[in-house]
């Protein structure tokens, strides 16, 4: 691993500080004479529309421009998702500098960002946290989503416990009063993949009572790039916008998602090369060692009632009442390793699992525009209550199942494994009652200087009911109350229109080990929440007459009180560990000519286990100074699109990820990789567009995620697809 030197960080800080100043002279040169007519760049201000669902507020609930928020805030809109051929919510995340994600079935959506992963990254749905993101945020077909937003670093002050490394928000399309609209798309390609999706927005009610109805529906199927894997998915969303009075709007929204994966690919056994890196044997790269009747399936239902009331010119209230219902089923043999001769695969990890989860909640927000001592000020206050209930039904069969040949095709049936059963027996039920108060303010101390502050006080009551045998380490019932107060303070200086520099300090709180919605007595005991804080310096620019934007940020994050193996008492844990990360992120969007678009991002991260002991065969071993697993030091992305003629355009995309460690000991690595994609698009004026797209054109075999030191999850090989999109 190449260390992140202090000189590198110093250079990054200097770049961030210099960016706004580099364009100050250009701004002066472009300032028109007093008598000249001025055409201002068009700015999109989110949250000002009366639509109840507008302005979810991933980075702030104050309806601010991104340039006004002193933090790294990314928004990936519908046009970008379409232009890049994004198929799932996971693929949309490449637009976030430094973020890597993979979706092994047992991990759902494993995200690493700013040196943190798992439950330290909050993944929200329309601003709602179901407290099980590492599984519940499994990639969903992207058609029903309007955009994906993200804010880097600790953000518990907005979204609750968790979010040390950042927050991601998947935002669904909603009915809009903009215009009648009809969109549809169809695609087909390699690995038996096919997609058919459509959406319609229809204005209702006439000018005196304007409303709207929107319906989106998508179906996809694929045989997968691994042997005999098959997946089908149905995603749907519908919303009805109604004007109750001149000042009150209501939106009722419902979503339904169903996914079935037969014989899902769980991973590939790996060999360790002389260079200390894990690789797949050539003959196993497309082999699926799961049982023939392996299965993963989920059904998700969302209901939301969104009310928006403009109480006065300065005051607005909004209320979100929501319900989430999910059922997830697993039936697989999940672990594979080579035998000593490397001519057969030893299979283990037999698991039948069901997750039954329901969430009920309500969030009330009040926004007010006013003054503090004659200074312009804006306030947002919120009250949120939720009830989260999840029961798990695991049937785990320990030990080795069998050994199969490297070229095995359909190796056995799940229910042939001794001890398996079709009966779901509950293990435990976790109930979370959450109450939170939030307060946020921005005050303009001068025309170009603003101070943004946020505060959240949250109380969580955890009640765990044991449905299995009662023991000292697994009591019949376990209750624990948590309380946390987190916040943010940030200064933002706008040197000129769309040129700003900011400094922010923020804090977070999260469980010391595990996830509260699935936590057991042994993982939590009497531990309090972990704490984290971040210092971030950054700048945001818009230049070349609005044809270019750039952002840069450097940060330092420290997370304390995480659970570690007790070095003095083997077999026990203590909440005294520490993990930290420092790094830099850059993003650029440039349109140098009317025919060329360039988007790029680049990140460096130095993540460290500062105080961490790992339990190795019952012996605590220090991992202090090591890098966390599956955490790359460098990530880069590039997208180019060139319009050759009004009807024809072509583009390419490039993604590069540095090597990552597969273990906390930092003795085993997965290789870094670079993958290249390209597309050719034919635009048929108002009729639509036809796109031929290739992914991983070099057919690179790369590791998307390490599952321990004997098994890896491979990324998608070379594939091609042809896609038609049209709108009316």
């Amino acid at each position: 691993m190449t260390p992140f030197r202090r000189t590198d960080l110093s250079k990054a800080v200097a770049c961030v500080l210099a960016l706004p100043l580099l364009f100050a002279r250009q701004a002066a040169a472009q300032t028109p004479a007093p008598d000249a007519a001025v055409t201002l760049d068009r700015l999109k201000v989110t949250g000002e529309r009366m639509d109840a669902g507008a302005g979810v507020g991933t980075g702030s609930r104050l309806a601010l421009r991104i340039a006004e928020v002193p933090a790294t805030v990314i928004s990936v809109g519908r046009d970008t998702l379409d232009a890049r051929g994004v198929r799932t919510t996971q693929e949309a995340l490449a637009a976030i500098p430094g973020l890597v994600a993979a979706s092994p079935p047992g991990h759902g959506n494993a995200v690493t960002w700013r040196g943190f992963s798992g439950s330290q990254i909050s993944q929200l749905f329309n601003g709602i946290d179901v407290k099980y993101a590492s599984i519940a945020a499994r990639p969903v077909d992207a058609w029903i989503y309007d955009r994906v937003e993200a804010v880097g670093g600790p953000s518990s002050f907005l979204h609750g416990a968790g979010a040390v490394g950042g927050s991601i928000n998947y935002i669904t399309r909603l009915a809009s009063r903009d215009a009648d609209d009809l969109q549809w798309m169809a695609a087909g390609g390699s690995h038996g993949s096919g997609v058919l999706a459509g959406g319609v927005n229809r204005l209702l009610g006439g000018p005196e009572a304007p409303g709207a109805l929107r319906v989106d529906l998508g179906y996809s199927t694929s045989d997968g790039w691994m042997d005999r894997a098959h997946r089908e998915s149905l995603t749907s969303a519908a919303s009805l916008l109604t004007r109750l009075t001149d000042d009150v709007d209501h939106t009722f929204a419902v979503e339904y998602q169903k996914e079935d994966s037969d014989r899902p690919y769980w991973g590939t056994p790996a060999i360790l090369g002389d260079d200390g890196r894990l690789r797949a044997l050539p003959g196993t790269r497309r082999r699926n060692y799961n049982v023939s009747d392996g299965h993963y399936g989920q059904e998700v239902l969302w209901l939301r009632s969104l009310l928006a009331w403009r109480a006065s010119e300065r005051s607005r209230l909004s209320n979100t009442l929501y319900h989430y219902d999910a059922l997830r089923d697993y039936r697989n043999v999940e672990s594979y390793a080579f035998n000593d001769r490397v001519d057969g695969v030893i299979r283990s990890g037999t698991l039948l699992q069901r997750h039954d989860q329901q969430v009920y909640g309500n969030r009330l927000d009040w926004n007010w525009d006013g003054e503090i001592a004659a200074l312009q000020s804006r306030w947002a206050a919120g009250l949120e209550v939720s009830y989260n209930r999840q029961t798990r039904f695991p049937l785990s069969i320990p030990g080795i199942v069998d050994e199969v040949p490297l070229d095995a095709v359909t190796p056995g049936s799940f229910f042939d494994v001794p001890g398996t059963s079709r009966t779901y027996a509950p293990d435990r039920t976790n109930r979370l009652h959450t109450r939170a108060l939030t307060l946020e303010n921005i005050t303009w101390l001068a025309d170009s200087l603003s101070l943004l502050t946020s505060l959240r006080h949250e109380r969580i009551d955890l009640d765990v009911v044991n449905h299995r045998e009662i023991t000292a380490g697994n009591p019949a019932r376990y209750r624990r109350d948590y309380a946390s107060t987190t916040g943010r303070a940030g200064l933002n200086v706008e040197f000129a229109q769309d040129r700003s520099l900011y400094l922010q300090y923020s804090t977070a709180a999260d469980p010391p080990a595990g996830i509260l919605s699935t936590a057991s007595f042994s993982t939590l005991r009497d531990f309090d929440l972990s704490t984290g804080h971040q210092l971030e310096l950054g700048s945001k620019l818009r230049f070349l007459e609005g044809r270019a934007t750039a952002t840069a940020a450097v940060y330092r994050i420290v997370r304390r009180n995480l659970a570690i193996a007790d070095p003095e008492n083997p077999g026990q844990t203590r909440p005294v560990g520490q993990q930290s990360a420092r790094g830099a992120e850059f993003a650029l969007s440039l349109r140098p000519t009317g025919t060329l678009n360039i988007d790029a991002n680049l990140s460096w991260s130095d993540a460290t286990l500062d105080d961490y002991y790992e339990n190795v065969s019952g012996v605590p071993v220090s991992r202090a100074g090591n890098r966390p697993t599956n955490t790359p030091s460098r990530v880069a992305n590039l997208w180019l699109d060139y319009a050759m003629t009004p009807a024809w355009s072509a583009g390419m995309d490039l993604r590069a990820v540095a090597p990552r460690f597969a273990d906390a000991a930092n003795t085993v690595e997965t290789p870094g990789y670079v993958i290249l994609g390209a597309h050719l698009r034919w635009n048929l004026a108002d009729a639509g567009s036809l796109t031929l797209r290739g992914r991983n054109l070099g057919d690179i075999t790369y590791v998307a995620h390490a599952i321990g030191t004997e098994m890896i999850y491979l990324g998608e090989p070379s594939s091609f697809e042809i896609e038609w999109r049209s709108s009316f």
Side-chain angles (χ1 to χ4, degrees):
M1 177 181 67
T2 302
F4 191 102
R5 300 182 298 274
R6 290 184 181 274
T7 53
D8 295 330
L9 187 61
S10 299
K11 293 176 183 177
V13 172
C15 289
V16 172
L17 291 171
L19 272 171
L21 304 178
L22 288 174
F23 294 93
R25 182 174 297 178
Q26 177 187 352
Q30 292 177 349
T31 302
D35 296 334
V38 179
T39 301
L40 297 178
D41 294 332
R42 182 181 178 183
L43 299 178
K44 181 181 179 181
V45 182
T46 61
E48 292 299 325
R49 293 168 49 188
M50 268 298 295
D51 291 14
V56 173
T58 305
S60 171
R61 295 182 182 173
L62 289 168
L64 302 175
R65 293 181 292 118
I66 288 181
E68 294 176 312
V69 180
T72 297
V73 180
I74 301 102
S75 182
V76 189
R78 187 69 241 175
D79 290 344
T80 300
L81 299 177
D82 291 344
R84 295 179 183 172
V86 168
R87 297 168 294 182
T88 67
T89 49
Q90 179 182 297
E91 291 182 356
L93 302 182
I96 301 172
L99 188 147
V100 292
S103 57
H107 297 263
N109 198 21
V111 172
T112 299
W113 190 17
R114 292 196 171 185
F116 295 87
S117 59
S119 59
Q120 285 85 58
I121 308 293
S122 287
Q123 297 187 64
L124 315 165
F125 303 90
N126 299 296
I128 301 166
D129 188 357
V130 301
K131 304 296 184 185
Y132 199 29
S134 56
I135 296 295
R138 179 168 172 80
V140 179
D141 291 350
W143 178 260
I144 66 171
Y145 292 98
D146 178 69
R147 63 192 185 278
V148 176
E149 296 180 342
V151 56
S155 44
S156 298
F157 51 83
L158 279 176
H159 309 300
V164 176
S167 295
I168 302 165
N169 194 8
Y170 307 102
I171 302 171
T172 312
R173 295 186 185 191
L174 285 177
S176 168
R177 294 193 181 96
D178 289 345
D180 287 336
D181 186 26
L182 173 64
Q183 301 170 323
W184 71 277
M185 63 89 67
S190 304
H191 318 303
S193 64
V195 179
L196 182 62
V200 59
N201 188 84
R202 187 72 178 175
L203 304 183
L204 305 173
E208 295 186 1
L213 171 69
R214 182 172 187 95
V215 178
D216 290 283
L217 183 66
Y219 170 79
S220 68
T221 181
S222 174
D223 292 332
W225 60 85
M226 285 297 172
D227 177 46
R228 289 171 171 79
H230 180 75
R231 175 185 179 271
E232 287 187 86
S233 174
L234 174 69
T235 56
S236 59
S239 55
L240 176 65
L241 170 63
T242 307
R243 172 159 291 180
L244 302 181
T245 72
D246 289 344
D247 298 314
V248 180
D249 279 354
H250 178 265
T251 300
F252 176 72
V254 58
E255 296 171 41
Y256 175 75
Q257 305 162 18
K258 180 175 175 59
E259 177 187 358
D260 282 299
S261 295
D262 296 325
R263 203 175 180 227
Y265 164 61
W266 215 267
T268 299
I271 57 172
L272 184 63
D274 295 337
D275 58 357
R277 293 182 173 179
L278 293 175
R279 292 180 173 85
L281 281 179
T284 66
R285 291 174 180 172
R286 299 293 180 267
R287 294 296 178 185
N288 186 348
Y289 294 104
N290 201 353
V291 287
S292 59
D293 55 348
H295 179 73
Y296 170 76
Q298 72 170 7
E299 285 190 76
V300 173
L301 176 67
W302 276 101
L303 299 174
R304 290 182 293 146
S305 171
L306 311 167
L307 193 69
W309 175 33
R310 189 181 297 275
S312 68
E313 291 185 0
R314 292 190 168 191
S315 180
R316 298 172 301 281
L317 280 91
S318 61
N319 190 81
T320 302
L321 177 67
Y322 58 87
H323 171 55
Y324 168 82
D325 193 325
L327 187 69
R328 295 175 285 269
D329 282 314
Y330 299 82
R331 183 182 66 239
N332 302 279
V333 173
E334 303 175 359
S335 299
Y336 324 118
F338 288 119
N339 61 17
D340 293 338
R341 302 180 305 278
V342 196
D343 61 1
V345 175
I346 299 171
R347 302 193 303 169
S348 59
T350 305
L351 179 65
L352 178 77
Q353 174 76 280
R354 168 168 286 181
H355 303 162
D356 186 5
Q357 184 180 14
Q358 297 85 37
V359 181
Y360 301 85
N362 190 83
R363 190 179 72 211
L364 176 66
D365 292 296
W366 170 70
N367 287 69
W368 181 73
D369 296 337
E371 294 84 23
I372 297 179
L375 299 175
Q376 182 183 356
S377 185
R378 189 179 298 172
W379 294 86
L383 170 63
E384 185 171 358
V385 294
S386 67
Y387 170 68
N388 189 323
R389 177 186 182 276
Q390 179 161 216
T391 302
R392 288 156 60 91
F393 304 78
L395 174 62
S396 178
I397 309 299
I400 294 174
V401 174
D402 57 15
E403 182 177 319
V404 298
L406 297 185
D407 59 355
V409 178
T410 54
S413 170
F414 181 87
F415 293 107
D416 289 341
V417 179
T420 57
S421 169
R422 298 180 184 271
T423 303
Y424 290 98
D427 177 24
R428 60 183 179 271
T429 297
N430 289 44
R431 292 189 285 250
L432 293 172
H433 294 266
T434 303
R435 292 93 64 203
L437 290 170
T438 60
L439 185 64
E440 192 174 6
N441 171 262
I442 185 170
T443 299
W444 281 266
L445 306 177
D447 289 342
S448 60
L449 177 64
S450 62
L451 172 65
L452 178 66
T453 55
S454 306
L455 196 66
R456 179 185 179 104
H457 181 72
E458 185 172 31
R459 297 191 66 87
I460 303 173
D461 298 336
L462 172 64
D463 183 4
V464 182
V465 177
N466 176 22
H467 303 294
R468 300 284 176 95
E469 180 182 358
I470 298 171
T471 65
N474 196 18
R477 196 161 192 172
Y478 170 63
R479 294 177 177 173
R480 181 68 203 272
D481 298 338
Y482 300 93
S484 68
T485 301
T486 55
R488 162 178 68 182
L491 282 171
N492 192 68
V493 183
E494 293 197 56
F495 292 92
Q497 185 181 6
D498 298 330
R499 295 180 180 90
S500 64
L501 179 71
Y502 67 84
L503 178 66
Q504 181 211 144
Y505 178 81
S506 58
T507 64
D510 72 316
I515 301 170
L516 290 180
S517 62
T518 61
S520 65
F521 175 75
S522 61
T523 57
L524 290 179
R525 304 195 181 195
D526 297 322
F527 300 163
D528 204 347
L529 296 175
S530 299
T531 60
H533 66 266
Q534 172 184 257
L535 186 65
E536 179 178 340
L537 173 68
S539 60
K540 304 174 185 179
L541 311 171
R542 182 169 174 154
F543 53 100
L544 294 181
E545 299 179 342
R547 291 183 287 110
T549 60
T551 62
V554 292
Y555 60 85
R556 164 78 172 172
I557 304 175
V558 177
R559 181 190 177 215
R560 295 192 176 95
N561 305 323
L562 65 151
I564 64 173
D566 189 340
E568 299 176 359
N569 298 287
Q572 298 186 24
T573 56
R574 296 174 59 192
V576 296
Q578 178 174 303
Q579 180 179 341
S580 65
R582 57 181 178 175
E585 297 171 350
F586 301 89
L588 173 69
S589 180
L590 175 64
R591 190 180 179 91
T593 69
T595 58
L596 178 63
N597 282 321
I598 303 172
D599 288 289
N601 60 54
L602 176 67
S603 73
W604 295 272
S605 172
D606 181 18
T608 308
L609 299 169
D610 301 318
D611 183 5
Y612 187 78
Y613 282 82
E614 183 182 22
N615 191 329
V616 181
S617 300
V619 179
V621 179
S622 175
R623 303 305 190 193
N626 290 357
R627 175 178 286 272
T629 60
N630 286 301
T631 304
S633 60
R634 300 174 303 279
V635 180
N637 293 281
L638 173 67
W639 296 271
L640 300 177
D641 193 277
Y642 176 64
M644 300 174 289
T645 70
W648 289 92
S649 62
M652 60 159 286
D653 55 272
L654 186 73
R655 179 168 176 82
V657 177
R660 292 158 289 168
F661 287 110
D663 61 343
N666 286 187
T667 59
V668 178
E669 274 189 330
T670 59
Y673 61 88
V674 177
I675 52 177
L676 173 68
H679 70 267
L680 178 66
R681 180 173 293 119
W682 181 27
N683 296 293
L684 286 80
D686 296 333
S689 64
L690 186 67
T691 303
L692 175 65
R693 189 179 306 275
R695 306 177 193 270
N696 190 2
L697 295 179
D699 199 22
I700 302 298
T701 300
Y702 66 97
V703 179
H705 191 80
I707 308 171
T709 58
E710 294 185 326
M711 189 168 153
I712 52 180
Y713 187 82
L714 299 179
E716 183 179 3
S718 177
S719 67
F720 296 88
E721 67 186 23
I722 187 165
E723 170 195 277
W724 172 263
R725 290 182 183 268
S726 185
S727 61
F728 304 94

